[in-house]
Amino acid sequence: MDRLIRFADFELDVERYQLTRAGAQIRLERLPMDLLILLASRHGELIARADIVDRLWGGSPFRDTENGLNTAIRKIRIALEEDPAKPRHLITVKGKGYRLDGTRAAGADAPVPAASANEAGPPAAMRALVLPFANLTGDPAQESLASALADEISATLGALDPARLLMIARTTAARYRGQQKSIGEIARELKLDYVLEGSLTQEANRLRILTRLIRCADEVQIWSRAHEPIAQGALDVLEEVAAALARDIEPTLGDQRHAALARRLPVDPAAHDAYVRGRYFWYRRVHFDAGFSAHHGLDGEDFFRSRQYFETALERDPNYALGYTGLSNYYGSTAVHGFFAPEEGWPVAREMAENALELDPGLPEAHHALAAVRYFFEWDWSRAEAGFKEALRLNPSYPEAHRLYARLLAACGRRAESDAAAGRAERIDPLAFQGSRAFGMVLAGQHAQVVSDYLSPGHREHPPLLYQLLAIAFEVKKLYAQAVDATLEALVRCGQHARAAAIRAQWEADGYEAVLRWHLDDLLARRRTRYTSPLLLAETYARLGDPGEMFRWLEAALAERSSRLCELRTNPWFQPYRATSRMRLIEKHIGAGQA
């Protein structure tokens, strides 16, 4: 979706959620604004009333959508000062729907004359990428450090000067690991201004970090350095590459650099070493779909290894704020992924996030961690949104905050804003956005689009997350053979070969209901020996078409504040039951949509 869309003398800024005319802001309520964004984004395409209702209300049977849509159209026309009898822009096609004529992306305008020196706007942000560090030590145990060093350098640089420097996210960078592409080729693909590359080497028993910073316009190396020993060297790299960027981009970056680095760097270099290793393992596991992972009991070894490293970081430096954010993320993620009851994980996650904020009120990771608690556990929508916004104000290059904020907006039914937030995530993490985009479409109920986008020829190599999401989309569309295939592919890619074989046997013997019954028996058996979320059982009974048992377990999930219950209204398994009074009461308790 284009950020700026123009028609006549109006300008619609999707990211800022703002409509202006000749520079003056025009106020629109949320629903009319969402509808205007939807119509404008289609650039004159006719949109059926039913599609608008599904998009803005999620097909909710509890709303008077007919009057709501008519009211929204009327308010847009008032804002545009249009005569309903002779509209110029918002056109009604009787019996069909609506279209918005005359729109154009801001970038499609004719060139604007250069402004005077006094009128010049701020220059566009520089785009930079930290490539995965190459592990040249010959020791596979150093692979986590090589990856995590690059990730943490990227996160640190992203917070230095948000208006001047946009860091491309770690997951996009990871796609270039091992590829034989030149700096110039990577720069052209991602439209980069700077690339940092590095490696770990070993001489005798000493590890060394080799790094160099490349300016892409002329492929000139503007800085390079070798550091040892490894622990102190990791901190030196952060300081020196930031200084090199400051010198080459803008001298005023220096003051922000010192303040930002002071917040992120611990007293003990070994604390930082432990933190980046912990973050490597946390990232490696957190991007699985939590519902799929919990249903299939995927192991949490990476999560548990990350906790050990985060705890070590705090043992080395008890005042290291990032160490507390790591633990907060660990306790929250393991609750969402079904390893612990919400009451065991989320209160600790809250305490860790509050500790981090007390030590550093300006740390984006701390605001993100506390916002996650308010979203998944406390269901405090407005404070969760404020937390995500603050994290992104402090570091607009922070992809995790963009993704979770987009989820919150989708859960609240604010789909146009959710799409815009997802679009921002795509700009900073373009190559990894495939799974994020599919996740957003599943939340929005666009299962047919997920199937068509990712089942076509040429879309065969996907990360486990995408196969997990495809399994959901296929089942919703009653494409059961494809759902089984996607499930098996996801499980095999996660190393769950025995479980994949068992599901295949059930499918080949008795069909898809047998697969779901097998799932149910497996969950009930697990529940006898370890924590198993009642929400998993509610979802399985919903898929089996048993509303009595579904509601019994759903009410148990409500009583324990099951982590994923905050996304009840976007959960595909419960859509057939949303018209019932019991489901309406449960949704009322959760308070979704009150942000």
Side-chain angles (χ1 to χ4, degrees):
M1 182 187 296
D2 299 305
R3 177 190 167 180
L4 293 177
I5 303 173
R6 292 175 179 151
F7 52 100
D9 54 349
F10 295 96
E11 182 173 272
L12 180 61
D13 189 325
V14 175
E15 288 192 8
R16 298 181 65 186
Y17 208 61
Q18 185 178 80
L19 176 68
T20 58
R21 185 177 196 177
Q25 184 173 348
I26 300 171
R27 297 187 63 82
L28 263 181
E29 297 172 19
R30 182 177 66 81
L31 193 60
M33 179 64 85
D34 283 348
L35 176 55
L36 180 61
I37 290 172
L38 175 62
L39 291 165
S41 69
R42 300 295 180 85
H43 296 294
E45 175 188 339
L46 178 70
I47 307 181
R49 285 181 68 95
D51 291 340
I52 293 172
V53 168
D54 182 66
R55 185 73 175 161
L56 298 187
W57 283 275
S60 172
F62 312 137
R63 311 271 185 92
D64 184 356
T65 55
E66 187 72 18
N67 285 332
L69 178 53
N70 291 338
T71 299
I73 291 289
R74 178 174 56 81
K75 289 181 176 179
I76 292 173
R77 286 201 166 117
I78 291 172
L80 301 182
E81 298 181 3
E82 288 205 326
D83 179 355
K86 297 178 181 179
R88 292 174 299 154
H89 305 297
L90 182 50
I91 307 301
T92 302
V93 181
K94 291 192 184 235
K96 298 289 187 182
Y98 303 93
R99 70 174 190 265
L100 189 68
D101 284 351
T103 61
R104 64 194 187 281
D109 293 344
V112 177
S116 69
N118 292 332
E119 295 173 337
M126 297 290 182
R127 291 169 60 88
L129 174 76
V130 181
L131 286 172
F133 280 26
N135 177 18
L136 306 180
T137 66
D139 180 2
Q142 300 299 336
E143 196 66 40
S144 62
L145 180 60
S147 293
L149 273 174
D151 295 345
E152 175 56 15
I153 290 171
S154 182
T156 301
L157 296 177
L160 290 184
D161 188 355
R164 296 286 290 119
L165 186 63
L166 177 70
M167 298 302 301
I168 302 301
R170 53 170 293 282
T171 35
T172 286
R175 299 296 179 90
Y176 291 97
R177 179 184 298 281
Q179 290 194 18
Q180 302 301 313
K181 288 191 175 183
S182 69
I183 295 294
E185 290 175 309
I186 296 171
R188 285 190 292 275
E189 288 178 7
L190 300 179
K191 299 179 174 61
L192 300 174
D193 298 290
Y194 295 90
V195 169
L196 178 77
E197 61 178 359
S199 61
L200 293 186
T201 63
Q202 189 165 11
E203 295 180 3
N205 294 322
R206 297 178 68 84
L207 285 172
R208 306 175 73 221
I209 307 173
L210 306 176
T211 46
R212 66 186 191 122
L213 182 64
I214 309 297
R215 185 171 57 219
C216 298
D218 49 12
E219 296 193 40
V220 168
Q221 176 178 294
I222 63 173
W223 172 86
S224 66
R225 198 63 51 88
H227 293 90
E228 59 179 41
I230 188 72
Q232 185 60 51
L235 304 188
D236 290 341
V237 168
L238 286 171
E239 292 184 336
E240 294 183 22
V241 72
L245 279 167
R247 287 191 298 272
D248 204 59
I249 297 174
E250 184 178 325
T252 58
L253 190 60
D255 293 339
Q256 289 117 325
R257 174 176 63 85
H258 289 302
L261 289 173
R263 290 199 302 266
R264 298 186 69 89
L265 300 183
V267 172
D268 187 338
H272 183 72
D273 180 273
Y275 170 76
V276 296
R277 291 177 189 266
R279 190 56 76 186
Y280 166 80
F281 287 108
W282 184 83
Y283 273 132
R284 198 162 72 166
R285 182 62 174 81
V286 76
H287 290 302
F288 289 173
D289 178 68
F292 184 96
S293 297
H295 268 285
H296 292 284
L298 301 185
D299 78 57
E301 180 184 355
D302 284 335
F303 276 145
F304 303 134
R305 291 178 73 178
S306 77
R307 173 187 173 180
Q308 295 170 2
Y309 283 115
F310 293 142
E311 288 178 339
T312 298
L314 290 175
E315 287 171 6
R316 300 299 302 243
D317 184 352
N319 294 316
Y320 185 27
L322 276 176
Y324 288 105
T325 68
L327 279 180
S328 180
N329 293 157
Y330 160 78
Y331 281 104
S333 297
T334 48
V336 174
H337 284 252
F339 294 103
F340 302 109
E343 64 190 24
E344 294 179 31
W346 287 113
V348 182
R350 183 200 298 118
E351 180 185 356
M352 296 296 103
E354 289 172 344
N355 287 346
L357 279 171
E358 184 177 352
L359 288 165
D360 181 3
L363 189 66
E365 288 88 344
H367 288 279
H368 171 262
L370 189 55
V373 177
R374 289 168 174 162
Y375 174 56
F376 283 113
F377 184 61
E378 296 176 356
W379 303 336
D380 188 338
W381 307 95
S382 59
R383 295 178 76 195
E385 180 172 13
F388 291 131
K389 284 183 172 180
E390 181 62 10
L392 291 169
R393 184 189 70 80
L394 293 165
N395 184 4
S397 299
Y398 191 5
E400 302 305 320
H402 280 293
R403 293 190 185 101
L404 198 47
Y405 182 38
R407 285 176 67 169
L408 177 145
L409 292 168
C412 291
R414 295 158 60 182
R415 292 189 178 178
E417 291 174 86
S418 177
D419 287 348
R424 290 191 289 275
E426 182 176 12
R427 281 194 291 280
I428 64 169
D429 205 357
L431 297 185
F433 194 71
Q434 185 183 56
S436 300
R437 180 169 175 267
F439 186 83
M441 288 192 290
V442 168
L443 284 179
Q446 297 170 337
H447 303 100
Q449 187 174 347
V450 176
V451 170
S452 64
D453 281 6
Y454 298 106
L455 190 60
S456 59
H459 284 289
R460 296 304 178 195
E461 281 302 316
H462 300 306
L465 170 63
L466 197 49
Y467 288 105
Q468 293 161 13
L469 297 171
L470 279 169
I472 297 170
F474 284 135
E475 183 177 335
V476 170
K477 300 305 294 180
K478 303 188 185 306
L479 300 171
Y480 298 125
Q482 292 93 329
V484 169
D485 286 344
T487 299
L488 299 180
E489 188 66 36
L491 291 171
V492 167
R493 286 170 179 262
C494 295
Q496 301 291 313
H497 300 278
R499 188 174 183 87
I503 290 173
R504 181 179 293 281
Q506 293 293 325
W507 163 251
E508 292 175 348
D510 295 303
Y512 204 67
E513 183 170 343
V515 172
L516 294 178
R517 293 284 175 193
W518 182 86
H519 272 308
L520 179 61
D521 291 343
D522 179 61
L523 288 170
L524 291 170
R526 264 193 267 162
R527 189 171 173 82
R528 288 192 289 270
T529 59
R530 67 177 193 264
Y531 171 74
T532 302
S533 171
L535 182 58
L536 299 175
L537 290 159
E539 289 174 321
T540 307
Y541 278 114
R543 295 160 71 187
L544 284 165
D546 186 340
E549 284 297 300
M550 178 199 77
F551 277 114
R552 182 168 79 87
W553 288 103
L554 199 52
E555 285 159 359
L558 180 65
E560 73 157 24
R561 303 183 78 86
S562 287
S563 298
R564 292 184 298 109
L565 208 55
C566 62
E567 294 172 345
L568 176 66
R569 65 184 296 168
T570 59
N571 189 313
W573 312 128
F574 300 124
Q575 293 305 309
Y577 307 97
R578 290 193 64 204
T580 66
S581 58
R582 288 179 78 177
M583 188 65 80
R584 292 178 66 180
L585 183 60
I586 291 171
E587 287 191 0
K588 183 178 179 181
H589 279 299
I590 296 169
Q594 300 305 311

